[in-house]
Every structure is written in C-alpha cells, then in structure tokens.
Amino acid sequence: MDRPPLIGVTTYLTEARWGAAWTLPAALLPAAYPRHVQSAGGLAVMLPPDDPATAAAVVERLDGLVLAGGEDLDPALYGQQPHPRAGDPVPERDRWELALLAAALDRDLPVLGICRGMQLMNVHAGGTLVQHLPDRVGHDGHNPQVGVFTGHAVTPSAGVLAGDVLDGATPVATHHHQGVDRLGDGLIATAAAEDGTIEAVEFTCHRFALGVQWHPEMGDDLRVIKALVAAARSGAARSTVAAG
C-alpha cells in the first residue's frame, strides 16, 4: 500500500466559542487526536455526528476507525437510570458512533476505542458500565482533578492484542469517572489497573478491535496507535489486491 491509511476519528458535538463573538454548536476534536494518528503514519479525518443510516457508507471509505473520548454515554443504552454524578448525554453522538462501530465490525475494519470509545464498544456488545467509578474502587485516582490528566500504570494480559502491543506494565494518561462493569458478548478484558479497573477490552472475533480506557493521544507512547495504523494499512492492502 503506497498511500497512508485513512483513519476516521469521531468528534464531540457541543457549543463552542471562538473569535471575537462566535458561540455556536460545533463538531470539534482536541488536536492531540489527529496529531497522534499523523505521528503514527496515518491520515486523520474527522467524523462529526451524522445520520446513522450513512455510517456504512462512511466506513467503506476508511481504513481504520478511532472512537474518541468525551461525554458519558446515555445510561438508558444499557438499561440504567443516570447516576447523580453522570454527565448529560449527547444522543446524536451516541447513535452515530454506535452505527459507525457496527459498520466497522461488520467490515472487520480496525477499530480503536479511547476512554468513552472503549465504553461504547462494551455497551454495543450488550455490556454495562460503572457510572461513577469512585463508588466501586473507593478512590478518585482515575480522575482526581477535572480537566487534568493524571497517570497510573496498566498491566496487560499475555497472549492478547493489548499484551502484544504494550509488552508489560505501562504508565498511561487517565481522565475518567466511569468504567466497564459487565463485559458484553464477544469481548474479553485484556488489561487492568492496580485497583482491578478494566483498562482494555478486545473483540475476540475481529483482527483488530481494541478499546483502551486511557488516553494514548496525551502522551508520547505511539505503540497503540501505530498498531492500529499498521492493521489499517494491512487491511487496505488486502482490499486493493482483492479488488485488482
């Protein structure tokens, strides 16, 4: 494959202010995400929320998909009432990203879920979330200060994708107050924090469908995103051969 693989990255949908006076609804993304993809040799394209019916057509044009972090998922998606500390959901984003994920898995397109993205992968598979992690683990070490990333170590399992990519305990950047509770069908937990919080999940029947609870884009460790880009490049090359 001569060209860099095209990696779609989902976006926030929120009100934003810029310039002298503009405050408008905006589809936006922290610049760290596209820079991370670019640093790993991919081409980054933003995927703002759209009609879920268009998701398959969008995915057909991609070589890989990143489900970015962001707002809490609507707990109604996994049959729960909102916790008092849960954030306001963004239904347009939830519906769009669930449709993108379904289309990507259907095509066996390489997928990386980051933070919210990992949680979305679990909910898509029928799993549930811990809506406020300090209630479960007894501390706020995964998100001690709102708006500030903190660090802790994650330990991957051996013989799985996360273990192959990370090769041992790894310090990561974290900022989340929710996490995976009951695993969805077809998923396995493949990394954990010291307190037992699930830090990575994988779909077992797909060649690259990895979710990580941390934010690799906020550090210099490119191993996770390079693995996604490599899988995207390999898949695109196979598609080109098949089409020829």
Side-chain angles (χ1 to χ4, degrees):
M1 181 184 182
D2 294 328
R3 65 173 177 82
L6 184 65
I7 310 298
V9 187
T10 60
T11 74
Y12 291 68
L13 183 64
T14 188
E15 189 172 88
R17 180 178 176 83
W18 67 94
W22 297 109
T23 300
L24 293 169
L28 55 83
L29 187 68
Y33 284 98
R35 287 174 183 163
H36 204 60
V37 170
Q38 293 157 0
S39 295
L43 296 174
V45 58
M46 293 169 59
L47 304 177
D50 201 343
D51 182 346
T54 68
V58 171
V59 164
E60 285 179 2
R61 304 185 184 194
L62 301 176
D63 301 313
L65 173 66
V66 174
L67 300 167
E71 305 90 345
D72 295 342
L73 292 167
D74 186 348
L77 293 170
Y78 48 96
Q80 294 183 13
Q81 295 296 314
H83 187 283
R85 298 291 298 275
D88 293 334
V90 183
E92 301 94 333
R93 185 178 180 190
D94 292 347
R95 290 192 295 267
W96 172 239
E97 293 185 3
L98 286 167
L100 285 175
L101 175 59
L105 293 176
D106 187 60
R107 283 194 59 210
D108 202 21
L109 191 81
V111 176
L112 173 62
I114 294 177
C115 197
R116 165 198 158 93
M118 183 185 96
Q119 296 166 12
L120 184 129
M121 292 170 73
N122 190 53
V123 170
H124 167 80
T128 62
L129 303 181
V130 180
Q131 289 195 50
H132 192 56
L133 199 56
D135 292 348
R136 175 68 58 86
V137 300
H139 64 82
D140 63 359
H142 295 272
N143 185 14
Q145 184 177 351
V146 175
V148 178
F149 288 91
T150 191
H152 65 67
V154 301
T155 301
S157 305
V160 294
L161 178 57
D164 292 342
V165 171
L166 295 181
D167 190 27
T170 300
V172 299
T174 181
H175 188 281
H176 64 102
H177 82 111
Q178 297 194 336
V180 166
D181 190 5
R182 177 174 55 80
L183 278 171
D185 295 338
L187 282 172
I188 57 173
T190 57
E194 185 177 356
D195 62 11
T197 298
I198 294 173
E199 293 284 340
V201 299
E202 300 171 20
F203 278 104
T204 57
C205 295
H206 297 273
R207 60 191 179 94
F208 193 108
L210 171 66
V212 298
Q213 186 58 72
W214 66 92
H215 284 265
E217 81 282 0
M218 297 309 299
D220 297 327
D221 189 341
L222 296 176
R223 288 178 292 177
V224 171
I225 193 65
K226 279 187 172 180
L228 173 76
V229 170
R233 179 177 284 112
S234 175
R238 286 201 297 269
S239 298
T240 300
V241 170

